[in-house]
Amino acid sequence: MSEEKLSSKISGFYKLPVEERIEFVKKFAGLTEDEASLFSKSLDIETADKMIENVLGTFDLPIGVAVNFLINGRDYIIPMAIEESSVVAAASNAAKIARVKGGFKAEASEPLMIGQIQLLNIEDTEGAVKKIMDHKKEILDVANAQDKILVSLGGGAKDLEIRILDSPLGKMIVTHLIVDVRDAMGANAVNTMVEALAPIFEDLTGGKVRLKILSNLADKRLARAKAVFDKETIGGEKVVDAFLESYTLATIDPYRAATHNKGIMNGIDAVVIATGNDWRAIEAGAHAYAARNGRYTSLTKYYKNEDGDLVGEIELPLALGIVGGAGNIHPKAVLCKKILGVKTSRELAEIIASLGLAQNFAALLALSTVGIQKGHMSLHAKNIAVMAGAKGDEIDLVADKLVEEGNIKLDRAKEILEEIRNN
Ligand code: MEV
């Protein structure tokens, strides 16, 4: 079955029983029976025991899918592992709105990572810099000798950049080794290279190498996404203006920007986790990038276009792998990558950037109109309705009544359900 032909657009997905949701995803992504059955299984203890130390068991998170995503003209359903309610629903809703004007347009730069080599105790800074640059070819050759497979795939160490930093300990020369890591996250490849280079830097300069490690401010590995949100679909010009007022605070105030970006990372982290990637690295890179100009600010940008529609853009570093690491070991991460159908780490970055933008748009739209609690309450009410035993259309009927009465309790949900069934 060709996944290209299937649309990710679906209404009322949450109303389906879990088995039918799985069936939808199975068809969409062409999963086998065995793959589809993985959703209800935990990571086995033998695998867990090989991943970290002192293992006692595993820790489960709910995994859901965001639907309706159209990115660069292709339909995606996006697996998200997260414990917070409303996030998956909000992303799906934002994606539905974005579809009206063609969905998301996204792009990612080459997968270039930075490895840092810190040199201290240098007497002649300029002379040391010259020596390093004069030996650039040999340095890159030694780095590339550490990972022949990466080089054979077209990746490897590509360049050196030198920064001279003043510190309380005197001048430091910090060399950046720029490495194309292809479809890996890249930490292992880069760390192996910079460690191998340390003695060469000491021999060349007479200085002392202290740190040799990857930088998580992966600002050469950026992903960008853009979408136009139709003004009529979101409630008209007044809503666009209210949205822009809300957004503006994040551009000028770090207190708001932190919350604004947290909302973006709600979505981004959930997919990063589902695909077995290192979400601490992604978080570190995102927030450092948000502060790159000396003041912490929004990772997204919004403005009105000539038609009065709302345009949203996001740009952030996304050091993601689709090969290697936990993403290859954890069966659910392998499954999630199959659902996404990603062929390169750049494509994964484009999807995740789009999802981050969708998440932020949904949060700001709710905050600028009804407030965030209404959505939370209605979702909470739906969860309670399901817990009370409601099925299909009963879920909304019970949930709406709970919200209307302002009494979202399991006992009351059971009573309402009985009343509905008796009628
Ligand atoms: C809650 O997890 C995220 C929000 O606070 C984000 C925001 O305020 O933009 C709703």
Side-chain angles (χ1 to χ4, degrees), residues 106 178 313 347 368 407-408:
I178 314 299
E313 294 178 7
E347 186 185 356
S368 312
N407 177 20
I408 306 176

Side-chain angles (χ1 to χ4, degrees), residues 70-338:
L70 184 65
I71 303 170
N72 294 337
R74 183 173 165 191
D75 274 278
Y76 291 93
I77 55 177
I78 307 182
M80 301 174 77
I82 185 164
E83 85 298 346
E84 185 173 332
S85 68
S86 303
V87 173
V88 178
S92 303
N93 191 38
K96 193 174 180 183
I97 297 173
R99 277 185 97 94
V100 175
K101 293 272 165 165
F104 297 84
K105 302 279 172 285
E107 58 173 26
S109 57
E110 293 286 329
L112 296 177
M113 297 295 286
I114 297 167
Q116 293 195 294
I117 301 170
Q118 176 200 24
L119 258 175
L120 305 157
N121 306 342
I122 302 286
E123 275 164 23
D124 170 13
T125 308
E126 274 180 31
V129 169
K130 186 166 180 327
K131 281 230 169 87
I132 295 169
M133 287 321 260
D134 284 350
H135 290 81
K136 177 168 153 178
K137 179 164 181 331
E138 291 100 297
I139 291 171
L140 295 181
D141 285 347
V142 171
N144 284 327
Q146 311 307 310
D147 199 332
K148 299 220 167 76
I149 295 180
L150 183 60
V151 174
S152 75
L153 294 169
K158 301 289 180 191
D159 204 1
L160 295 180
E161 288 176 358
I162 297 192
R163 298 160 63 230
I164 298 164
L165 302 180
D166 285 319
S167 86
L169 307 176
K171 278 201 189 320
M172 293 179 187
I173 300 180
V174 179
T175 305
H176 285 187
L177 178 72
I178 314 299
V179 186
D180 181 329
V181 297
R182 300 281 88 196
D183 288 320
M185 186 273 183
N188 277 333
V190 171
N191 289 338
T192 307
M193 287 180 183
V194 287
E195 286 192 2
L197 291 178
I200 299 172
F201 274 64
E202 290 183 345
D203 285 351
L204 281 174
T205 62
K208 170 86 210 141
V209 169
R210 185 58 63 201
L211 289 180
K212 36 211 185 284
I213 184 79
L214 169 107
S215 170
N216 287 119
L217 177 49
D219 62 1
K220 292 185 184 295
R221 199 177 186 180
L222 297 175
R224 297 179 194 90
K226 182 175 177 177
V228 177
F229 300 99
D230 176 57
K231 67 170 184 292
E232 298 311 337
T233 312
I234 64 176
E237 208 174 310
K238 282 212 174 90
V239 173
V240 174
D241 290 339
F243 187 109
L244 290 171
E245 285 166 6
S246 304
Y247 152 69
T248 302
L249 185 57
T251 66
I252 56 165
D253 177 18
Y255 284 92
R256 172 57 201 154
T259 323
H260 176 99
N261 290 341
K262 187 271 181 186
I264 294 172
M265 302 315 286
N266 274 344
I268 288 184
D269 284 345
V271 194
V272 172
I273 293 169
T275 53
N277 274 289
D278 179 348
W279 79 93
R280 288 85 55 208
I282 298 297
E283 281 277 342
H287 295 294
Y289 194 67
R292 67 194 178 283
N293 295 325
R295 200 190 63 205
Y296 187 85
T297 187
S298 166
L299 286 165
T300 51
K301 227 194 250 170
Y302 292 92
Y303 53 92
K304 247 192 244 185
N305 68 12
E306 58 282 4
D307 300 328
D309 294 326
L310 182 71
V311 184
E313 294 178 7
I314 188 168
E315 180 182 274
L316 80 167
L318 283 176
L320 298 159
I322 60 160
V323 295
N328 265 19
I329 299 167
H330 198 303
K332 253 181 228 164
V334 175
L335 177 66
C336 289
K337 284 184 283 184
K338 177 157 183 189

